[in-house]
Amino acid sequence: MRNKYKIISMSNAINEALDFSMKKDKDMLCFGLGTTDPKGIFSTTINLEKKFGKQRVFDVPASENALTGISVGLSLEKIRSVVSHQRLDFFLLAMDQLVNNAAKWYFTFNQPVPITIRLIIGRGWGQGPTHSQNLQSWFAHIPGLKVIIPSNPNDAKDLLISSIFDPNPVIFIEHRWLHEMKGKVEKNTVLKKLNKIGRCKVIEKGKDLTVVSSSYLVHEARIAIKHLRKFNINCELIDIKSIQPLDWSTIKKSIKKSRHLLVLDTGNSNLSFASEIISLASIEMFKFLKKPPVKLAMPDIPEPASYGLTKGLFIRPINIVKKILDILNIKNKNILKSVQKEPNPHDIPGTWFKGPF
């Protein structure tokens, strides 16, 4: 049992997922801006060109809409492809191909469109308004698309493979704060046993309050929840993993038990996926909730590039703890004294972060 897992970074896990998939499907292509660059899109595509050749793994000109259109065209010839964009922000140029072609094709012509689009999100280090947008809610709003947002290496590997072999177009969102994070990943990959798209996971059990989260905020929430346990406050933490489809039944079950809900979102507050979960809870779980459900998301402003203006902007364990105490109406100043606050510098997830730039 001890040898079943290995410890690798999320970047390496994504690389292994691509490697596995390309071996499994000899026709599959992997391309995108920076794919064959020496750094290999934050190390996620390193050595793939060497293994599978320039016909299957290649860089492309900076033309996002054309690039996505090529991928849609390939899928109509039953050729799977993984298209990588180093920034979600740049991919906005391809919304026409995504929304009006990829997402609609199956419904219009009854023909699957097996494409996986990797989008990288992130913030900090002066990324500024046009390089830090977390727009997962945009994509989740479009019928015909699946939207995945993993928080750890094992899920990143499993869900990327599941996305590649899904017959539908999948948006696979990676947060750059997580690429260097290490975790346990199963050594042997079996296609039938992979994580299925559309399932949440309860990663911390508790009865006092339900916290729903995704991406790097799962880790911030975990720090907050472990801190609260010292004071006999037991919260349940759910990692969404898939925003569309959403595993509402797992969240619902947890709310019935805890009767309190806090939803965390890396995106802006207005019309966020957190808002959708709050809406579902208010409509379907009203009689179970002791208090109105609460969300904690980013403010509705473009993120400043200035280091000074981003102080206190990001959601940290202390913000989560404060919100939980407020929901449960607990007034204990000692709880806040030792909770983890902003790292120094404040525009990184922690001192371990070395960053891609």
Side-chain angles (χ1 to χ4, degrees):
M1 195 70 166
R2 186 172 49 189
N3 297 323
K4 188 180 176 184
Y5 297 97
K6 57 186 172 184
I7 306 293
I8 59 173
S9 70
M10 189 157 154
S11 288
N12 288 340
I14 290 167
N15 184 270
E16 286 190 2
L18 293 168
D19 184 278
F20 172 87
S21 301
M22 294 195 78
K23 284 174 181 170
K24 204 83 179 164
D25 183 348
K26 306 296 183 189
D27 294 322
M28 180 188 139
L29 303 180
C30 176
F31 56 94
L33 218 61
T35 298
T36 58
D37 186 79
K39 291 189 176 179
I41 310 180
F42 314 133
S43 301
T44 60
T45 57
I46 289 285
N47 291 326
L48 293 180
E49 182 190 22
K50 190 186 290 184
K51 287 181 182 178
F52 301 104
K54 294 181 179 181
Q55 298 299 312
R56 295 181 65 196
V57 182
F58 49 90
D59 209 325
V60 293
S63 184
E64 287 77 8
N65 204 45
L67 172 60
T68 309
I70 289 166
S71 186
V72 173
L74 286 165
S75 73
L76 302 183
E77 293 297 321
K78 299 182 179 176
I79 298 172
R80 287 189 182 90
S81 60
V82 175
V83 191
S84 303
H85 296 268
Q86 294 212 37
R87 277 283 180 273
L88 177 150
D89 315 75
F90 305 158
F91 179 69
L92 301 184
L93 291 163
M95 291 302 281
D96 177 49
Q97 289 288 359
L98 178 73
V99 176
N100 290 322
N101 287 327
K104 304 290 189 295
W105 202 271
Y106 178 78
F107 294 91
T108 309
F109 301 108
N110 195 32
Q111 184 175 2
V113 180
I115 64 175
T116 303
I117 298 170
R118 291 179 55 214
L119 302 179
I120 296 168
I121 60 176
R123 45 173 50 106
W125 275 18
Q127 293 298 304
T130 59
H131 289 68
S132 60
Q133 298 169 92
N134 288 221
L135 301 176
Q136 52 269 19
S137 298
W138 271 36
F139 304 111
H141 184 71
I142 301 165
L145 293 182
K146 294 186 177 181
V147 183
I148 310 301
I149 186 162
S151 69
N152 61 76
N154 195 62
D155 284 348
K157 182 177 180 179
D158 276 16
L159 288 170
L160 181 53
I161 296 170
S162 295
S163 299
I164 291 166
F165 289 98
D166 193 289
N168 306 283
V170 180
I171 303 295
F172 191 87
I173 298 176
E174 304 158 27
H175 200 290
R176 74 187 191 94
W177 278 5
L178 295 175
H179 274 138
E180 295 309 310
M181 180 169 281
K182 293 189 176 178
K184 284 199 302 185
V185 173
E186 286 199 34
K187 286 182 179 178
N188 299 317
T189 304
V190 180
L191 207 51
K192 289 180 182 176
K193 293 182 179 178
L194 294 174
N195 284 329
K196 293 216 170 120
I197 291 172
R199 288 186 187 169
C200 293
K201 185 177 182 183
V202 177
I203 57 175
E204 295 285 347
K205 292 192 174 181
K207 59 181 175 52
D208 296 329
L209 183 141
T210 298
V211 179
V212 177
S213 189
S214 69
S215 191
Y216 83 90
L217 277 180
V218 169
H219 303 282
E220 301 286 37
R222 206 166 195 176
I223 292 166
I225 286 169
K226 285 184 175 179
H227 176 76
L228 286 167
R229 278 218 187 100
K230 298 173 191 171
F231 300 88
N232 205 29
I233 301 166
N234 298 299
C235 300
E236 188 144 290
L237 176 59
I238 298 174
D239 182 354
I240 289 183
K241 299 196 290 186
S242 167
I243 294 173
Q244 183 63 267
L246 177 67
D247 181 6
W248 172 235
S249 60
T250 299
I251 300 169
K252 203 170 166 180
K253 186 179 176 183
S254 182
I255 294 170
K256 276 186 182 179
K257 178 174 63 174
S258 72
R259 307 186 74 180
H260 295 94
L261 175 65
L262 170 63
V263 188
L264 309 177
D265 197 332
T266 63
N268 298 107
S269 181
N270 188 34
L271 300 175
S272 57
F273 83 81
S275 300
E276 177 62 19
I277 294 171
I278 296 286
S279 173
L280 285 168
S282 300
I283 293 166
E284 296 186 26
M285 308 300 291
F286 184 78
K287 66 180 180 181
F288 293 99
L289 288 162
K290 288 184 177 179
K291 285 232 184 130
V294 175
K295 67 177 171 178
L296 185 56
M298 295 296 288
D300 294 316
I301 57 167
E303 185 172 310
S306 163
Y307 176 77
L309 292 176
T310 53
K311 187 165 178 61
L313 183 69
F314 311 125
I315 298 168
R316 302 295 187 184
I318 190 165
N319 306 111
I320 299 166
V321 168
K322 279 179 179 177
K323 197 63 80 174
I324 291 170
L325 295 179
D326 186 48
I327 295 166
L328 298 176
N329 199 27
I330 295 171
K331 302 188 189 309
N332 184 342
K333 290 181 180 178
N334 291 326
I335 295 175
L336 293 173
K337 279 181 183 175
S338 55
V339 68
Q340 191 177 112
K341 298 174 178 64
E342 280 193 320
N344 185 20
H346 66 258
D347 58 347
I348 58 170
T351 51
W352 54 268
F353 180 67
K354 304 304 176 191
F357 308 131

